[in-house]
Amino acid sequence: MARTPISRPSGSRTNGEWKSPQRFFNRELSWLEFNERVLEEADNSAHPLLERVRFLSISDSNLDEFYMVRVAGLKGQQEARVTTLSADGLSVSQQLQAINRRTRQLIDRQGQIWKTLSQALEAEHISIIRPDDLRPKEKTWLKQYFTHRLFAALTPLAVDPAHPFPLIANDGLCIVLQLKSDTPEEEDEIFWAVIPLPNNLPRLIPVMDIPQRFILLEDVLLLHLNQLLPGFSVRQSGLIHLIRDSEMDIDEDVEDLIEMFKSALRQRRRGHVIRLLASEDMAPELLAFVKDELAIEDEDVFLVEGLLNLADLEELLVAERPDLRFKTFSPKIPAWIKAFGGNYFDAIRTQDRLLHHPYHSFDAVVAFLQQAALDPHVLTIKQTLYRTSKSSPMIRALIEAAEAGKSVTAVVELKARFNEEDNIRLAEKLERAGVHVVFGFIDYKTHCKISLVAREEGNLLRTYAHFGTGNYHPITARIYTDFSLLTCDEALCQDAAKVFNFLTGYAMPQRLDRVIIAPRRMQTELLQRIEEEIQLAQKNGTGSIWAKMNALVDPTIIDALYRASQAGVKIDLVIRGICCLKPGVPGLSENIRVKSIVGRFLEHARVIAFGRGQPLPNETAQVFLSSADWMPRNFHSRVETLVPVTAAELHAYLLHTFQMNLEDQKQSWWLTPEGAYQRAPFKAGDLSVHEYFMRHPAFL
């Protein structure tokens, strides 16, 4: 397709470098801007209606997780009286104030969008009805449903001097009640109770099992409260949603890592309440009771108009309305797999292979591991596991390989946030099957994505490797854009073996030929390549850098990019989420552009290209795939990989994918020097990078 020129911000260029903290955007506020972009997709009429509901649900779930982790961390710093300023010069208290202020705006916006979407859903005969809307037959059905499906699962809890306010689980919904006794001698007394809503019950109940007419669980409960609390009447009721601190303290001297994580997970469920959401119409007396019992400050209380906990709207997607969803997309199996009769070893020996997910099916990666498990010539399999699904076929393949007598090693990262429990169960399951399970390091998370297979071929022991930018998770691989490199290149495979020796034997590799890793040298190597591009631009008048990732936070890297911009290097960054770099600032970054792509698929791949003194794309550019975003944690406290791609066909394809990202109009947001994101204007026929690759699956 024709390439259209892309205009760049203009401005003077100086050799001076800004030293003020104002050269950075705040990390936390930048994340909230990202979640605003996700939320705006719920208001994007170009998307099918139920997909807009899904975006709204995701934005609310994202916000909860942000508070569990990032705000919890800041509150911990506040309690510890930490005085260190953020990179952009804000104190902890200033950041918390700014976060809460921005969050209130987001919550209000969520409520506005839900009001619009709920009206649109009703026009499509999908609705969340109120109790007053129930028809006689529905009331009869609902009474039976409550008796047989809900009653035994609900636990009303009294609150009085003998019964303290109960522990409400993190991310839990709870009905708070002020009651009066129906007994005349107690009619002047006030009684308090709470009823937690079990998170394993549906929040949206399809009335009469018709998945287009729903009623809220809390409304069903209140309708039948006389069965739960006979002899009492409700004076006041309200719904609350709690978010607790989900950070875990890790004891570096612990002897049993599994037991330590089990204990830490129990503590997480009892963490401090850091945010309380309540119905806006909750009676002041009821709200005051909750705040007092939870010892929560006013600044951490958020009143919500309309539906509380919009993340539960995901349950609406069960409605049988394919006309209101994205058209079904089936990932393709690359032609080269069929050309070699499904023999991955033969195909990879011929040349390196690249898979572009989700346009290429992740089943191809699974099949590679399954073939290795069944192949009698395969001696060993080594695999990193950061996140995967509970019933992953990759896990079954590793178990089959171990049971077949192969030496199988799995490096399971227990510190994969919110996947800790799943990974503990996974590790125990693998160990029972005879897999050597290694938990990596206390100090570092194992975030790299590598598979390594050693196979006897005649008198040779040949190794095959898979390097990925995403997790070995067959479910998220359907909606995350990522790359997989399959290779038997001797240097790359030798480096992969050394990385595994580091992960299992703690021996930091002294020398790697091709692969660059963190925490050893990744930041240094990136800085060196940026500096080389600066020198070439100063010498030849031309230099270029392309980088695509989820987050750009590291101040040292950002300052290097500023220096490159001042030297005339043209820099294009596709950053889905957090970006602390300020683009387009005269004298600082006028040669840097930043865009974010938010759409049907979640942009997750990390691709970096250095033009080597020429405009990109070009045949001599250095191109890398990586597991790492450019954040301090990725460079200094995680094991990550940066893998060069040199095979001409794959090299050209990766540059082509980046070019398509730059040309995208339908899903793009451009970051301004002031920190706002502006949606790229688009019209019918303009490029959507997701639609493009769905229609034009890679030929590799």
Side-chain angles (χ1 to χ4, degrees), residues 507-518:
M508 178 74 77
Q510 297 301 306
R511 182 175 180 275
L512 294 173
D513 290 330
R514 302 275 300 285
V515 177
I516 299 165
I517 65 168

Side-chain angles (χ1 to χ4, degrees), residues 342-409:
N343 189 311
Y344 284 82
F345 298 122
D346 288 350
I348 297 167
R349 273 199 310 276
T350 305
Q351 66 178 75
D352 288 355
R353 303 292 177 174
L354 187 71
L355 299 169
H356 189 184
H357 310 298
Y359 315 108
H360 283 152
S361 174
F362 190 75
D363 290 348
V365 178
V366 174
F368 165 69
L369 199 62
Q370 290 172 331
Q371 184 176 334
L374 298 173
D375 190 321
H377 299 292
V378 168
L379 302 182
T380 64
I381 300 174
K382 299 180 182 183
Q383 177 75 53
T384 63
L385 293 168
Y386 188 72
R387 299 188 198 277
T388 189
S389 62
K390 294 179 182 179
S391 58
S392 170
M394 298 193 73
I395 303 307
R396 291 199 297 273
L398 293 175
I399 290 172
E400 287 175 4
E403 291 175 343
K406 304 182 193 306
S407 175
V408 182
T409 301

Side-chain angles (χ1 to χ4, degrees), residues 32 95 104 192 239 260 295 344 421 451 463 537 569 598 641 655:
L32 289 172
Q95 291 183 79
R104 292 183 198 282
W192 300 91
L239 188 68
M260 183 274 292
Y344 284 82
E421 290 182 90
S451 302
T463 49
V569 178
V598 181
T641 56
L655 292 175

Side-chain angles (χ1 to χ4, degrees), residues 434-471:
V435 175
H436 304 298
V437 176
V438 178
F439 298 122
F441 308 91
I442 289 290
D443 294 336
Y444 307 130
K445 280 187 180 181
T446 302
H447 193 247
C448 55
K449 285 76 180 179
I450 315 176
S451 302
L452 189 67
V453 174
R455 184 173 188 263
E456 280 186 322
E457 296 179 1
N459 296 323
L460 177 70
L461 184 64
R462 192 188 302 274
T463 49
Y464 297 80
H466 169 271
F467 294 94
T469 66
N471 299 306

Side-chain angles (χ1 to χ4, degrees), residues 21 26 29 83-96 98:
N26 181 266
L29 298 180
T83 58
T84 305
L85 302 181
S86 62
D88 61 312
L90 296 182
S91 69
V92 172
S93 294
Q94 287 173 323
Q95 291 183 79
L96 287 170

